[in-house]
Amino acid sequence: MFKVLRLCSASNVVNIAQLPASRIPLAGNQIWSVHRFFSKPSTLEQNIGSDSDKSTAWNTIYHFPGIMLTASIKRLQTYPMIMTAVSVPISMGLAYADLVSMTTAQVCGSIGFTTTATLLLFSYLTNNLIGYVYTDDACNKVKIAYVDKSGKRQNRIYTIDDIVPRTEMSRSLFSFYFPVKNHDNRDQYKLIHRYGQIYDYQAFARVFGRDV
């Protein structure tokens, strides 16, 4: 062992602190931890905010577990629409050319239009769906992270006093969600409280008011 160490010259000794994170030799269960630390967080799990707001410490009080799946579907909805727009005319043309049966063309058109209508309805119902809600340490400000119509994450910061309480808002169909609105603008968001995870009930009630 000492002979091997003597054969290693000083120029060949690598300082591990100077190595990139991806080249540091790790064993077993340490590899996954480092990968998670150095990998870029997903769009909806990034810790909040603009450059002017990085100094504020935010605490998560609410999270909707299905927000990542919702954002993915909303981002991919254009592809089935394009496929429908292309496949339906082609199938109809092949049917009129007696290359395929008219029934096949009708089935293709029905599937395409049904898929497109379903995705459009899903996009409409999940527009401005809230994925995360944060408050500052003093519980004076609230940050709402939601998914816009294109499936991208957007952040909005309000003072708690500017949020309209639940008791003043109309209820949604079947009370599946309750709307969230600000006094100063027309932006309205959707918060699914039944299937979401509330981490701080007192802060949640202070922001949105108590349910009745």
Side-chain angles (χ1 to χ4, degrees), residues 77 80-81 84 110-125:
Q77 65 182 345
M81 294 179 185
T84 300
S110 300
I111 294 175
F113 286 121
T114 302
T115 303
T116 301
T118 302
L119 291 174
L120 288 175
L121 179 62
F122 177 82
S123 179
Y124 173 77
L125 294 177

Side-chain angles (χ1 to χ4, degrees), residues 9 78 117 167 187 191 211:
S9 61
T78 56
T167 54
D187 294 336
L191 191 147
D211 199 4

